[in-house]
Amino acid sequence: MNTSQILSPILSFPYCPDAPNWTLNWQALQAEFDWLKSLKNCPQDPRYHAEGDVLTHTRLVCEALISLPAWRDLPAIERSILFAAALLHDIAKPAATEIEADGSISSKGHVRQGAKMARQILYSMNVPFHQREAVVNLVQYGSLPLWFWDKENPQRSVIKASQLIRCDLLALLAEADVMDRHCDDREQLLERIEFFRDFCQENDCFEHPRPFADHHSRFVYFQKENGNPNYTAFDDTRFEVVLMSGLPASGKNHWICEHLPDWKVISLDELRRLMNISPEDNQGAVGDRGREIAREYMRSAKSFVWNATNISRQLRSSLVNLFSAYGGRIRIVYLEVPWEELLERNNSRDAKVPEKVIERMYNRLDIPDITEAHVVDWVVSP
């Protein structure tokens, strides 16, 4: 998803500066958000961040961002999304920071974990889904303009990022991140960002997602490591698979009954019941039986629904690989409801899931994106 797909009401992130003064109210932001306070006194390696701790760096990034004419010229919604990303881009550093034996400071894994933390924070604030995910993807890919050329396939990296978030916004966030850094390679980093801008424009993915000939060509491209984005793939799909995704009680069964009442459904919950296997037991036999039934349908080119939580990208990927190998056209349907509503629904079910289990699942949640399937639908309750 990208910010051009935002359908929800405009998000105005608290204390996001606006015309005519463009003033950063840093004291109000610190008073409003406890997660900002956690950044205080978190050290950074002075070779790369001699400006100070993570809180100091975050403030400088916000000040740099709101000073950029390109940021001020954006529509209000995009300014707000970028501002939120600047505040949240290093949110996981306190948990990830380690001081090595030689005195150097590292924070390995803080980007991926920071994206998850940003999602949790914005979810609790009831930020509209597409705007929330735009911020999450800015946090996730915010350093790409600095390091994309070091990737094994730089072209694929920027094209993939463009499917999720606009690369011109990534470049603005990266520029703000570097502008007030105190480090020896600051000018080199800024040059890399300009190179990133040029490279994205050359690949037609700077201000919009890289276009493909059709959905199937895009799907085939992202299924391969070294595909050609200009290639028009022959569509040899023979049937459709709808892969459900969402936390327990998010409404998957109801959606299937309402939208695909006549389709074959492989429900892992139903298989567990029939096989007398508890959700706490090993699920290998349940998954194996589900795949066995799926193969029977696919050999006959029958469309069907695979109904399970499917919250991890890794699990979805294994299923997508199986279904596409038989000629399936993949549609992922992700469902989400507000947290309190989710818990209320769960408590009203006969087979309710313990709240702590749902919380753990949410912490592991990878929301499906358009690079995973032919089509992805995000069905989100306001």
mmCIF file with all atom_site columns, all heavy atoms in Angstrom, residues 148-164:
data_model
loop_
_atom_site.group_PDB
_atom_site.id
_atom_site.type_symbol
_atom_site.label_atom_id
_atom_site.label_alt_id
_atom_site.label_comp_id
_atom_site.label_asym_id
_atom_site.label_entity_id
_atom_site.label_seq_id
_atom_site.pdbx_PDB_ins_code
_atom_site.Cartn_x
_atom_site.Cartn_y
_atom_site.Cartn_z
_atom_site.occupancy
_atom_site.B_iso_or_equiv
_atom_site.pdbx_formal_charge
_atom_site.auth_seq_id
_atom_site.auth_comp_id
_atom_site.auth_asym_id
_atom_site.auth_atom_id
_atom_site.pdbx_PDB_model_num
ATOM 1   N N   . PHE A 1 148 ? 20.638 1.478   -0.422  1.00 0.00 ? 148 PHE A N   1
ATOM 2   C CA  . PHE A 1 148 ? 20.032 0.661   -1.476  1.00 0.00 ? 148 PHE A CA  1
ATOM 3   C C   . PHE A 1 148 ? 21.066 0.096   -2.435  1.00 0.00 ? 148 PHE A C   1
ATOM 4   O O   . PHE A 1 148 ? 20.904 -1.015  -2.954  1.00 0.00 ? 148 PHE A O   1
ATOM 5   C CB  . PHE A 1 148 ? 18.983 1.478   -2.249  1.00 0.00 ? 148 PHE A CB  1
ATOM 6   C CG  . PHE A 1 148 ? 19.551 2.440   -3.243  1.00 0.00 ? 148 PHE A CG  1
ATOM 7   C CD1 . PHE A 1 148 ? 19.606 2.128   -4.588  1.00 0.00 ? 148 PHE A CD1 1
ATOM 8   C CD2 . PHE A 1 148 ? 20.070 3.672   -2.830  1.00 0.00 ? 148 PHE A CD2 1
ATOM 9   C CE1 . PHE A 1 148 ? 20.139 3.020   -5.510  1.00 0.00 ? 148 PHE A CE1 1
ATOM 10  C CE2 . PHE A 1 148 ? 20.599 4.559   -3.740  1.00 0.00 ? 148 PHE A CE2 1
ATOM 11  C CZ  . PHE A 1 148 ? 20.646 4.235   -5.090  1.00 0.00 ? 148 PHE A CZ  1
ATOM 12  N N   . TRP A 1 149 ? 22.136 0.838   -2.687  1.00 0.00 ? 149 TRP A N   1
ATOM 13  C CA  . TRP A 1 149 ? 23.128 0.387   -3.657  1.00 0.00 ? 149 TRP A CA  1
ATOM 14  C C   . TRP A 1 149 ? 23.954 -0.777  -3.125  1.00 0.00 ? 149 TRP A C   1
ATOM 15  O O   . TRP A 1 149 ? 24.595 -1.498  -3.896  1.00 0.00 ? 149 TRP A O   1
ATOM 16  C CB  . TRP A 1 149 ? 24.048 1.533   -4.067  1.00 0.00 ? 149 TRP A CB  1
ATOM 17  C CG  . TRP A 1 149 ? 24.740 1.275   -5.377  1.00 0.00 ? 149 TRP A CG  1
ATOM 18  C CD1 . TRP A 1 149 ? 26.069 1.083   -5.596  1.00 0.00 ? 149 TRP A CD1 1
ATOM 19  C CD2 . TRP A 1 149 ? 24.116 1.155   -6.670  1.00 0.00 ? 149 TRP A CD2 1
ATOM 20  N NE1 . TRP A 1 149 ? 26.319 0.864   -6.928  1.00 0.00 ? 149 TRP A NE1 1
ATOM 21  C CE2 . TRP A 1 149 ? 25.135 0.903   -7.616  1.00 0.00 ? 149 TRP A CE2 1
ATOM 22  C CE3 . TRP A 1 149 ? 22.798 1.240   -7.113  1.00 0.00 ? 149 TRP A CE3 1
ATOM 23  C CZ2 . TRP A 1 149 ? 24.880 0.733   -8.973  1.00 0.00 ? 149 TRP A CZ2 1
ATOM 24  C CZ3 . TRP A 1 149 ? 22.539 1.064   -8.464  1.00 0.00 ? 149 TRP A CZ3 1
ATOM 25  C CH2 . TRP A 1 149 ? 23.572 0.807   -9.369  1.00 0.00 ? 149 TRP A CH2 1
ATOM 26  N N   . ASP A 1 150 ? 23.915 -1.003  -1.816  1.00 0.00 ? 150 ASP A N   1
ATOM 27  C CA  . ASP A 1 150 ? 24.616 -2.139  -1.227  1.00 0.00 ? 150 ASP A CA  1
ATOM 28  C C   . ASP A 1 150 ? 23.776 -3.415  -1.268  1.00 0.00 ? 150 ASP A C   1
ATOM 29  O O   . ASP A 1 150 ? 24.274 -4.493  -0.931  1.00 0.00 ? 150 ASP A O   1
ATOM 30  C CB  . ASP A 1 150 ? 24.989 -1.840  0.235   1.00 0.00 ? 150 ASP A CB  1
ATOM 31  C CG  . ASP A 1 150 ? 25.927 -0.653  0.349   1.00 0.00 ? 150 ASP A CG  1
ATOM 32  O OD1 . ASP A 1 150 ? 26.740 -0.453  -0.571  1.00 0.00 ? 150 ASP A OD1 1
ATOM 33  O OD2 . ASP A 1 150 ? 25.857 0.069   1.355   1.00 0.00 ? 150 ASP A OD2 1
ATOM 34  N N   . LYS A 1 151 ? 22.512 -3.296  -1.656  1.00 0.00 ? 151 LYS A N   1
ATOM 35  C CA  . LYS A 1 151 ? 21.652 -4.471  -1.749  1.00 0.00 ? 151 LYS A CA  1
ATOM 36  C C   . LYS A 1 151 ? 22.095 -5.362  -2.904  1.00 0.00 ? 151 LYS A C   1
ATOM 37  O O   . LYS A 1 151 ? 22.710 -4.910  -3.869  1.00 0.00 ? 151 LYS A O   1
ATOM 38  C CB  . LYS A 1 151 ? 20.199 -4.048  -1.975  1.00 0.00 ? 151 LYS A CB  1
ATOM 39  C CG  . LYS A 1 151 ? 19.615 -3.153  -0.896  1.00 0.00 ? 151 LYS A CG  1
ATOM 40  C CD  . LYS A 1 151 ? 19.327 -3.924  0.367   1.00 0.00 ? 151 LYS A CD  1
ATOM 41  C CE  . LYS A 1 151 ? 18.598 -3.047  1.378   1.00 0.00 ? 151 LYS A CE  1
ATOM 42  N NZ  . LYS A 1 151 ? 18.306 -3.773  2.640   1.00 0.00 ? 151 LYS A NZ  1
ATOM 43  N N   . GLU A 1 152 ? 21.760 -6.651  -2.800  1.00 0.00 ? 152 GLU A N   1
ATOM 44  C CA  . GLU A 1 152 ? 22.134 -7.602  -3.858  1.00 0.00 ? 152 GLU A CA  1
ATOM 45  C C   . GLU A 1 152 ? 21.509 -7.208  -5.185  1.00 0.00 ? 152 GLU A C   1
ATOM 46  O O   . GLU A 1 152 ? 22.129 -7.368  -6.242  1.00 0.00 ? 152 GLU A O   1
ATOM 47  C CB  . GLU A 1 152 ? 21.700 -9.011  -3.449  1.00 0.00 ? 152 GLU A CB  1
ATOM 48  C CG  . GLU A 1 152 ? 22.132 -10.086 -4.422  1.00 0.00 ? 152 GLU A CG  1
ATOM 49  C CD  . GLU A 1 152 ? 21.821 -11.478 -3.918  1.00 0.00 ? 152 GLU A CD  1
ATOM 50  O OE1 . GLU A 1 152 ? 21.620 -11.640 -2.696  1.00 0.00 ? 152 GLU A OE1 1
ATOM 51  O OE2 . GLU A 1 152 ? 21.770 -12.416 -4.742  1.00 0.00 ? 152 GLU A OE2 1
ATOM 52  N N   . ASN A 1 153 ? 20.273 -6.686  -5.136  1.00 0.00 ? 153 ASN A N   1
ATOM 53  C CA  . ASN A 1 153 ? 19.586 -6.246  -6.354  1.00 0.00 ? 153 ASN A CA  1
ATOM 54  C C   . ASN A 1 153 ? 18.956 -4.878  -6.068  1.00 0.00 ? 153 ASN A C   1
ATOM 55  O O   . ASN A 1 153 ? 17.799 -4.791  -5.656  1.00 0.00 ? 153 ASN A O   1
ATOM 56  C CB  . ASN A 1 153 ? 18.514 -7.257  -6.761  1.00 0.00 ? 153 ASN A CB  1
ATOM 57  C CG  . ASN A 1 153 ? 17.901 -6.946  -8.119  1.00 0.00 ? 153 ASN A CG  1
ATOM 58  O OD1 . ASN A 1 153 ? 17.872 -5.801  -8.550  1.00 0.00 ? 153 ASN A OD1 1
ATOM 59  N ND2 . ASN A 1 153 ? 17.396 -7.980  -8.777  1.00 0.00 ? 153 ASN A ND2 1
ATOM 60  N N   . PRO A 1 154 ? 19.717 -3.792  -6.261  1.00 0.00 ? 154 PRO A N   1
ATOM 61  C CA  . PRO A 1 154 ? 19.200 -2.452  -5.932  1.00 0.00 ? 154 PRO A CA  1
ATOM 62  C C   . PRO A 1 154 ? 17.904 -2.110  -6.671  1.00 0.00 ? 154 PRO A C   1
ATOM 63  O O   . PRO A 1 154 ? 17.010 -1.486  -6.095  1.00 0.00 ? 154 PRO A O   1
ATOM 64  C CB  . PRO A 1 154 ? 20.343 -1.524  -6.363  1.00 0.00 ? 154 PRO A CB  1
ATOM 65  C CG  . PRO A 1 154 ? 21.570 -2.370  -6.301  1.00 0.00 ? 154 PRO A CG  1
ATOM 66  C CD  . PRO A 1 154 ? 21.123 -3.731  -6.716  1.00 0.00 ? 154 PRO A CD  1
ATOM 67  N N   . GLN A 1 155 ? 17.810 -2.507  -7.935  1.00 0.00 ? 155 GLN A N   1
ATOM 68  C CA  . GLN A 1 155 ? 16.602 -2.196  -8.695  1.00 0.00 ? 155 GLN A CA  1
ATOM 69  C C   . GLN A 1 155 ? 15.377 -2.832  -8.050  1.00 0.00 ? 155 GLN A C   1
ATOM 70  O O   . GLN A 1 155 ? 14.338 -2.171  -7.859  1.00 0.00 ? 155 GLN A O   1
ATOM 71  C CB  . GLN A 1 155 ? 16.741 -2.685  -10.137 1.00 0.00 ? 155 GLN A CB  1
ATOM 72  C CG  . GLN A 1 155 ? 15.530 -2.333  -10.999 1.00 0.00 ? 155 GLN A CG  1
ATOM 73  C CD  . GLN A 1 155 ? 15.571 -3.007  -12.361 1.00 0.00 ? 155 GLN A CD  1
ATOM 74  O OE1 . GLN A 1 155 ? 15.796 -4.219  -12.456 1.00 0.00 ? 155 GLN A OE1 1
ATOM 75  N NE2 . GLN A 1 155 ? 15.381 -2.225  -13.421 1.00 0.00 ? 155 GLN A NE2 1
ATOM 76  N N   . ARG A 1 156 ? 15.462 -4.105  -7.702  1.00 0.00 ? 156 ARG A N   1
ATOM 77  C CA  . ARG A 1 156 ? 14.338 -4.790  -7.085  1.00 0.00 ? 156 ARG A CA  1
ATOM 78  C C   . ARG A 1 156 ? 13.994 -4.158  -5.738  1.00 0.00 ? 156 ARG A C   1
ATOM 79  O O   . ARG A 1 156 ? 12.819 -4.065  -5.360  1.00 0.00 ? 156 ARG A O   1
ATOM 80  C CB  . ARG A 1 156 ? 14.657 -6.275  -6.904  1.00 0.00 ? 156 ARG A CB  1
ATOM 81  C CG  . ARG A 1 156 ? 13.460 -7.123  -6.483  1.00 0.00 ? 156 ARG A CG  1
ATOM 82  C CD  . ARG A 1 156 ? 13.872 -8.595  -6.413  1.00 0.00 ? 156 ARG A CD  1
ATOM 83  N NE  . ARG A 1 156 ? 12.727 -9.474  -6.263  1.00 0.00 ? 156 ARG A NE  1
ATOM 84  C CZ  . ARG A 1 156 ? 12.154 -9.776  -5.099  1.00 0.00 ? 156 ARG A CZ  1
ATOM 85  N NH1 . ARG A 1 156 ? 12.625 -9.238  -3.994  1.00 0.00 ? 156 ARG A NH1 1
ATOM 86  N NH2 . ARG A 1 156 ? 11.125 -10.605 -5.050  1.00 0.00 ? 156 ARG A NH2 1
ATOM 87  N N   . SER A 1 157 ? 15.010 -3.721  -5.001  1.00 0.00 ? 157 SER A N   1
ATOM 88  C CA  . SER A 1 157 ? 14.782 -3.120  -3.682  1.00 0.00 ? 157 SER A CA  1
ATOM 89  C C   . SER A 1 157 ? 13.956 -1.848  -3.782  1.00 0.00 ? 157 SER A C   1
ATOM 90  O O   . SER A 1 157 ? 13.015 -1.652  -3.002  1.00 0.00 ? 157 SER A O   1
ATOM 91  C CB  . SER A 1 157 ? 16.125 -2.827  -3.002  1.00 0.00 ? 157 SER A CB  1
ATOM 92  O OG  . SER A 1 157 ? 16.835 -4.013  -2.740  1.00 0.00 ? 157 SER A OG  1
ATOM 93  N N   . VAL A 1 158 ? 14.286 -0.990  -4.724  1.00 0.00 ? 158 VAL A N   1
ATOM 94  C CA  . VAL A 1 158 ? 13.537 0.271   -4.823  1.00 0.00 ? 158 VAL A CA  1
ATOM 95  C C   . VAL A 1 158 ? 12.161 0.040   -5.435  1.00 0.00 ? 158 VAL A C   1
ATOM 96  O O   . VAL A 1 158 ? 11.185 0.703   -5.059  1.00 0.00 ? 158 VAL A O   1
ATOM 97  C CB  . VAL A 1 158 ? 14.325 1.342   -5.605  1.00 0.00 ? 158 VAL A CB  1
ATOM 98  C CG1 . VAL A 1 158 ? 15.653 1.654   -4.902  1.00 0.00 ? 158 VAL A CG1 1
ATOM 99  C CG2 . VAL A 1 158 ? 14.550 0.955   -7.055  1.00 0.00 ? 158 VAL A CG2 1
ATOM 100 N N   . ILE A 1 159 ? 12.067 -0.908  -6.373  1.00 0.00 ? 159 ILE A N   1
ATOM 101 C CA  . ILE A 1 159 ? 10.759 -1.196  -6.970  1.00 0.00 ? 159 ILE A CA  1
ATOM 102 C C   . ILE A 1 159 ? 9.823  -1.790  -5.928  1.00 0.00 ? 159 ILE A C   1
ATOM 103 O O   . ILE A 1 159 ? 8.637  -1.435  -5.856  1.00 0.00 ? 159 ILE A O   1
ATOM 104 C CB  . ILE A 1 159 ? 10.917 -2.127  -8.185  1.00 0.00 ? 159 ILE A CB  1
ATOM 105 C CG1 . ILE A 1 159 ? 11.564 -1.360  -9.344  1.00 0.00 ? 159 ILE A CG1 1
ATOM 106 C CG2 . ILE A 1 159 ? 9.584  -2.710  -8.611  1.00 0.00 ? 159 ILE A CG2 1
ATOM 107 C CD1 . ILE A 1 159 ? 11.859 -2.209  -10.564 1.00 0.00 ? 159 ILE A CD1 1
ATOM 108 N N   . LYS A 1 160 ? 10.337 -2.683  -5.089  1.00 0.00 ? 160 LYS A N   1
ATOM 109 C CA  . LYS A 1 160 ? 9.505  -3.243  -4.029  1.00 0.00 ? 160 LYS A CA  1
ATOM 110 C C   . LYS A 1 160 ? 9.067  -2.155  -3.056  1.00 0.00 ? 160 LYS A C   1
ATOM 111 O O   . LYS A 1 160 ? 7.886  -2.086  -2.688  1.00 0.00 ? 160 LYS A O   1
ATOM 112 C CB  . LYS A 1 160 ? 10.254 -4.335  -3.271  1.00 0.00 ? 160 LYS A CB  1
ATOM 113 C CG  . LYS A 1 160 ? 9.423  -4.916  -2.133  1.00 0.00 ? 160 LYS A CG  1
ATOM 114 C CD  . LYS A 1 160 ? 10.144 -6.001  -1.368  1.00 0.00 ? 160 LYS A CD  1
ATOM 115 C CE  . LYS A 1 160 ? 9.267  -6.511  -0.226  1.00 0.00 ? 160 LYS A CE  1
ATOM 116 N NZ  . LYS A 1 160 ? 9.910  -7.599  0.546   1.00 0.00 ? 160 LYS A NZ  1
ATOM 117 N N   . ALA A 1 161 ? 10.002 -1.321  -2.617  1.00 0.00 ? 161 ALA A N   1
ATOM 118 C CA  . ALA A 1 161 ? 9.645  -0.249  -1.690  1.00 0.00 ? 161 ALA A CA  1
ATOM 119 C C   . ALA A 1 161 ? 8.566  0.646   -2.272  1.00 0.00 ? 161 ALA A C   1
ATOM 120 O O   . ALA A 1 161 ? 7.653  1.087   -1.562  1.00 0.00 ? 161 ALA A O   1
ATOM 121 C CB  . ALA A 1 161 ? 10.888 0.567   -1.339  1.00 0.00 ? 161 ALA A CB  1
ATOM 122 N N   . SER A 1 162 ? 8.628  0.888   -3.570  1.00 0.00 ? 162 SER A N   1
ATOM 123 C CA  . SER A 1 162 ? 7.662  1.793   -4.203  1.00 0.00 ? 162 SER A CA  1
ATOM 124 C C   . SER A 1 162 ? 6.240  1.239   -4.180  1.00 0.00 ? 162 SER A C   1
ATOM 125 O O   . SER A 1 162 ? 5.277  2.006   -4.267  1.00 0.00 ? 162 SER A O   1
ATOM 126 C CB  . SER A 1 162 ? 8.069  2.086   -5.654  1.00 0.00 ? 162 SER A CB  1
ATOM 127 O OG  . SER A 1 162 ? 7.750  1.001   -6.520  1.00 0.00 ? 162 SER A OG  1
ATOM 128 N N   . GLN A 1 163 ? 6.114  -0.083  -4.073  1.00 0.00 ? 163 GLN A N   1
ATOM 129 C CA  . GLN A 1 163 ? 4.783  -0.683  -3.986  1.00 0.00 ? 163 GLN A CA  1
ATOM 130 C C   . GLN A 1 163 ? 4.140  -0.429  -2.625  1.00 0.00 ? 163 GLN A C   1
ATOM 131 O O   . GLN A 1 163 ? 2.922  -0.533  -2.472  1.00 0.00 ? 163 GLN A O   1
ATOM 132 C CB  . GLN A 1 163 ? 4.855  -2.200  -4.228  1.00 0.00 ? 163 GLN A CB  1
ATOM 133 C CG  . GLN A 1 163 ? 5.549  -2.613  -5.506  1.00 0.00 ? 163 GLN A CG  1
ATOM 134 C CD  . GLN A 1 163 ? 4.910  -2.045  -6.751  1.00 0.00 ? 163 GLN A CD  1
ATOM 135 O OE1 . GLN A 1 163 ? 3.720  -2.245  -6.985  1.00 0.00 ? 163 GLN A OE1 1
ATOM 136 N NE2 . GLN A 1 163 ? 5.695  -1.340  -7.557  1.00 0.00 ? 163 GLN A NE2 1
ATOM 137 N N   . LEU A 1 164 ? 4.970  -0.090  -1.635  1.00 0.00 ? 164 LEU A N   1
ATOM 138 C CA  . LEU A 1 164 ? 4.504  0.039   -0.255  1.00 0.00 ? 164 LEU A CA  1
ATOM 139 C C   . LEU A 1 164 ? 4.446  1.477   0.226   1.00 0.00 ? 164 LEU A C   1
ATOM 140 O O   . LEU A 1 164 ? 3.597  1.833   1.050   1.00 0.00 ? 164 LEU A O   1
ATOM 141 C CB  . LEU A 1 164 ? 5.422  -0.764  0.677   1.00 0.00 ? 164 LEU A CB  1
ATOM 142 C CG  . LEU A 1 164 ? 5.717  -2.205  0.250   1.00 0.00 ? 164 LEU A CG  1
ATOM 143 C CD1 . LEU A 1 164 ? 6.651  -2.862  1.246   1.00 0.00 ? 164 LEU A CD1 1
ATOM 144 C CD2 . LEU A 1 164 ? 4.437  -3.004  0.110   1.00 0.00 ? 164 LEU A CD2 1
#
